[in-house]
Amino acid sequence: MAGEGEKKPVLEMVQADGADEGCVTFVLHNEDHTLGNSLRYMIMKTADVDFCGYTITHPSESKINFRIQTRGSIPATEPLRSGLNELSDVCQHVLNTFQVSLSITYEINCPVVVQHTSV
Amino acid sequence: MAETMNIVEEIRNRVILGEYNVKNNFRIDIVHLDESTMEFDMVGIDAAIANAFRRILLAEVPTMAIEKVFIYNNTSIVQDEVLAHRLGLVPIKADPRLFEYRSTGEASAEEEGSEIDTIQLQLKIKCSRNPRATKDSADPRELYLNHMVYSRDIKWVPIGNQADVFADSVIAPVHDDILIAQLRPGQELDVIMHCVKGIGQDHAKFSPVATASYRLLPDITLLEPVEGERAERLKRCFSRGVIDIQDVAGKKVAKVVDSRLDTCSREFLRHDDLKNAVKLARFRDHFIFTVESTGILPPDVLVTEAIKVLMVKCQRFLSELDSTDLE
């Protein structure tokens, strides 16, 4: 639901001077705990991440500061990208499992449960 | 330092992806499903993702709701803004996946909205005296006609090609019997309403669920055999159906039959002789979801849409990352 007229940044990167590419704070706009916590969880499972956390700077502003510090000189966008991909995969897996479970339920209760269009 | 490393390791290993992954341990069991409620179990997933689904169900699955109310005539006792507020909260049975968001911006603020993003509804009702009422009746139901304005009086006005697109389904409020206002003879309501697509984060009227919640499956273990009269008391400490008394070699022994039914009131802790006999915990990866829909979309469609919303969020940031990398 970003505005069409002016280009609002959705993702920004803030890096401390002198530090290597491995320690970056990303600012994600229009996000809250929904994506922040689940993404933090996925990235924490990556082996080469030293630190991963997020804060909501002020509850009136809908943006989160997401910080990743990697071990070694791996650029911080790597674990972010892999975390997003993995979260997307988990969602896809959950969706597939749910659809399978639904179809089993409909088969068992076919005459009783209302047939509605499923996407 | 060692403690934090242990905690980090524990977080990493609690639900393992990869080889022994979510794909192997994860399952969804649908316990109950009808047109308005659904109860299902999600086993083998972490709280962060389960909570994300719950939050999305409450606040980020879009629906259609009345946003703009054009009041041509309101001589009722209900003030304009109160009437508009009440109308906004009425759930409208229109599939939000068939509509677009109304584009925000200076230029389109004056546009009336087109057929792909707006539903137009009309409420036109006038209260009059009932000529056939008996002279000395005091019942308003007999004395007046149309003195209660219900949601069934809201009529759909198709704009553009909506009449063809929605030929077989009528767009109307989900429930017929929501009382909107009360009138007396001579008062009338004449309003036109525009419905747009929105999400619960913007205004709670757009939330598609009555509520969506989850609880964790309780884990009740008896640390020592509980017999006789103690077993009877233990049975009363838990919700009905959790503990059963079985006859073992002439003695009555308590056994945990179905911990799912328990509401975890921890009543057994108040009894000194029972509090060390039971361990009450919860399975940390077994979530019992309850989704109650307001009727706009069936609950299984809501859960599907919620999962897709989370996927779209990830994709949005991935494409954002890719586009900034290319620069």
Side-chain angles (χ1 to χ4, degrees):
Chain A
M1 279 183 69
E4 302 261 286
E6 29 163 297
K7 180 103 176 66
K8 288 184 216 159
V10 176
L11 171 67
E12 291 169 15
M13 283 173 52
V14 176
Q15 216 162 340
D17 299 323
D20 58 305
E21 277 193 2
C23 304
V24 177
T25 299
F26 298 92
V27 181
L28 278 60
H29 289 268
N30 291 332
E31 289 303 331
D32 55 4
H33 299 286
T34 307
L35 186 67
N37 197 24
S38 42
L39 189 58
R40 177 201 61 85
Y41 165 75
M42 292 321 265
I43 293 180
M44 280 296 288
K45 298 166 89 42
T46 323
D48 48 359
V49 167
D50 227 2
F51 174 88
C52 175
Y54 78 99
T55 38
I56 297 189
T57 44
H58 193 278
S60 305
E61 296 179 337
S62 64
K63 66 176 187 181
I64 57 175
N65 282 4
F66 199 95
R67 181 158 181 87
I68 300 178
Q69 282 175 211
T70 54
R71 197 175 311 154
S73 54
I74 305 164
T77 49
E78 290 292 309
L80 181 67
R81 189 183 303 246
S82 68
L84 285 166
N85 276 319
E86 275 177 27
L87 186 56
S88 197
D89 288 342
V90 168
C91 289
Q92 186 63 51
H93 180 64
V94 170
L95 188 61
N96 295 341
T97 318
F98 187 70
Q99 303 279 28
V100 165
S101 203
L102 261 186
S103 57
I104 295 175
T105 314
Y106 280 143
E107 269 174 35
I108 299 173
N109 304 327
C110 196
V112 178
V113 176
V114 173
Q115 295 286 329
H116 33 248
T117 50
S118 58
V119 179
Chain B
M1 185 60 187
E3 256 191 46
T4 46
M5 282 312 294
N6 281 342
I7 295 172
V8 167
E9 285 306 311
E10 204 234 347
I11 295 174
R12 285 202 187 132
N13 298 332
R14 198 188 305 163
V15 178
I16 302 178
L17 279 187
E19 279 188 21
Y20 317 94
N21 59 24
V22 166
K23 300 195 196 310
N24 288 342
N25 301 332
F26 178 69
R27 65 171 208 272
I28 293 185
D29 303 319
I30 298 183
V31 170
H32 172 84
L33 170 63
D34 62 36
E35 297 105 45
S36 60
T37 24
M38 177 176 195
E39 189 180 325
F40 66 98
D41 286 14
M42 224 189 251
V43 188
I45 202 168
D46 188 71
I49 304 180
N51 194 36
F53 290 142
R54 184 195 62 89
R55 289 175 65 97
I56 293 175
L57 274 167
L58 283 172
E60 299 195 47
V61 178
T63 56
M64 306 291 292
I66 294 173
E67 175 93 352
K68 281 206 165 77
V69 177
F70 300 92
I71 303 183
Y72 290 93
N73 192 354
N74 175 20
T75 40
S76 75
I77 206 101
V78 179
Q79 298 92 337
D80 288 346
E81 62 269 18
V82 175
L83 179 68
H85 181 243
R86 289 176 72 81
L87 287 169
L89 294 171
V90 171
I92 306 289
K93 196 172 182 69
D95 193 336
R97 296 168 289 179
L98 303 172
F99 291 90
E100 309 281 325
Y101 285 104
R102 197 183 270 197
S103 58
T104 54
E106 301 283 322
S108 51
E110 284 118 41
E111 284 173 26
E112 288 293 304
S114 64
E115 62 216 10
I116 52 161
D117 58 28
T118 312
I119 298 173
Q120 189 163 328
L121 302 167
Q122 185 182 37
L123 176 60
K124 199 176 162 75
I125 194 163
K126 189 175 163 73
C127 177
S128 51
R129 222 174 274 276
N130 186 2
R132 270 174 281 176
T134 53
K135 247 198 225 158
D136 43 350
S137 82
D139 186 4
R141 276 168 297 181
E142 214 189 294
L143 280 173
Y144 314 121
L145 297 169
N146 292 335
H147 68 288
M148 309 263 258
V149 181
Y150 289 102
S151 53
R152 69 175 81 99
D153 302 317
I154 296 179
K155 302 279 180 280
W156 175 42
V157 178
I159 47 179
N161 65 350
Q162 282 179 350
D164 308 314
V165 174
F166 299 102
D168 49 346
S169 62
V170 175
I171 294 181
V174 176
H175 305 281
D176 271 343
D177 50 356
I178 301 176
L179 181 63
I180 297 174
Q182 291 197 29
L183 302 173
R184 285 295 180 263
Q187 295 177 350
E188 77 173 283
L189 275 179
D190 186 2
V191 300
I192 303 256
M193 297 158 272
H194 283 191
C195 291
V196 296
K197 183 168 169 175
I199 56 175
Q201 240 177 17
D202 178 27
H203 192 290
K205 69 188 178 195
F206 292 113
S207 183
V209 290
T211 193
S213 61
Y214 67 75
R215 63 187 178 105
L216 280 78
L217 183 72
D219 179 16
I220 305 175
T221 29
L222 295 176
L223 300 169
E224 57 187 38
V226 180
E227 296 159 352
E229 184 266 339
R230 280 178 77 208
E232 289 290 332
R233 269 190 299 130
L234 188 70
K235 183 173 170 180
R236 280 200 301 271
C237 286
F238 289 93
S239 309
R240 202 176 308 183
V242 175
I243 301 244
D244 205 18
I245 310 280
Q246 290 175 346
D247 224 341
V248 171
K251 281 190 296 191
K252 290 199 207 161
V253 178
K255 182 170 177 281
V256 178
V257 168
D258 190 4
S259 63
R260 189 199 174 91
L261 299 167
D262 192 35
T263 48
C264 295
S265 63
R266 292 182 280 185
E267 170 71 20
F268 70 93
L269 291 172
R270 296 176 60 209
H271 301 258
D272 286 328
D273 54 338
L274 294 175
K275 67 182 177 192
N276 296 321
V278 190
K279 183 167 91 97
L280 183 62
R282 289 192 190 263
F283 290 102
R284 287 157 81 182
D285 60 348
H286 188 133
F287 297 89
I288 303 172
F289 272 84
T290 307
V291 178
E292 288 173 46
S293 163
T294 47
I296 302 176
L297 287 169
D300 50 318
V301 172
L302 281 177
V303 176
T304 315
E305 289 300 308
I307 303 173
K308 287 183 195 164
V309 165
L310 188 54
M311 271 198 293
V312 163
K313 272 191 205 267
C314 295
Q315 297 302 330
R316 188 158 59 99
F317 283 107
L318 274 171
S319 62
E320 193 67 33
L321 259 183
D322 288 336
S323 67
T324 47
D325 269 353
L326 287 171
E327 282 169 20

